[in-house]
Amino acid sequence: MIVHAIVDLFHEVRADVVHVRNKEIEARELWAIARAYAAQGHRVIVNTRCDVALAAGASGLHLPAGSIAPSRWRAIVPQGFSIGVSCHTREELELAQAEGADYAYLSPVFAPLSKPDSRPPLGWDGFSRTIEGLTIPVLALGGMTLDHRDAAARAGAAGIAGITLGAR
């Protein structure tokens, strides 16, 4: 699975899911972007804003680590609505799994291409060790390009996610 967070490049990278995330825009603009992709039949995940995701007809919601448990959101979302969580440690992954998340992002696998990150990169060995034995699908995030798809699969990732997925 490939998840792409920048909607302008969605078709260019042939992503399976568009993850709409922009902390700088108002809810109405975020809704318009998510709605446009959902109306075209794309699977859309909205970051943090469950209200926007529901109003836009999105496929799901993505939560930052430390958010309200996914199981709590289930009471207000339709059946089949996907809820994911950003994670950076084994403990956060275990919590996301226990709290009913459908998937998780684990980062940073490599230094992000889109922003600075002070956390040390896991690399593929660290990624693989961190997800070992979990049943929740975990997508690799951080420094991902389309060239990482095969290595991600070998490391046990359910897919890759990123803002700058162009091959490098």
Side-chain angles (χ1 to χ4, degrees):
M1 174 184 292
I2 299 174
V3 177
H4 201 275
I6 297 291
V7 295
D8 294 341
L9 298 175
F10 178 71
H11 296 288
E12 181 181 322
V13 299
R14 292 184 295 259
D16 300 311
V17 176
V18 139
H19 179 150
V20 180
R21 176 183 186 261
N22 188 326
K23 297 177 183 180
E24 306 301 319
I25 62 177
E26 294 183 13
R28 184 181 305 261
E29 190 175 354
L30 188 65
W31 170 84
I33 294 168
R35 182 70 195 132
Y37 279 93
Q40 294 173 27
H42 299 298
R43 288 180 52 205
V44 176
I45 303 293
V46 175
N47 203 74
T48 308
R49 298 290 307 260
C50 190
D51 58 337
V52 171
L54 292 171
S59 304
L61 170 69
H62 189 83
L63 303 168
S67 293
I68 295 171
S71 58
R72 295 290 208 176
W73 291 106
R74 298 275 177 221
I76 63 169
V77 300
Q79 189 168 350
F81 193 80
S82 183
I83 302 176
V85 179
S86 289
C87 299
H88 307 96
T89 65
R90 171 68 183 212
E91 293 75 24
E92 288 175 349
L93 286 169
E94 289 172 347
L95 185 60
Q97 180 172 286
E99 291 181 339
D102 294 303
Y103 69 91
Y105 292 166
L106 177 60
S107 72
V109 178
F110 300 110
L113 301 172
S114 62
K115 65 181 181 180
D117 190 333
S118 61
R119 292 177 290 241
L122 296 165
W124 290 123
D125 288 339
F127 180 93
S128 186
R129 283 192 307 274
T130 303
I131 69 167
E132 187 175 354
L134 295 172
T135 57
I136 188 172
V138 180
L139 287 85
L141 178 63
M144 291 296 107
T145 67
L146 294 176
D147 295 337
H148 287 113
R149 287 179 288 192
D150 292 340
R154 287 191 298 273
I160 61 172
I163 294 172
T164 52
L165 284 174
R168 294 189 191 243

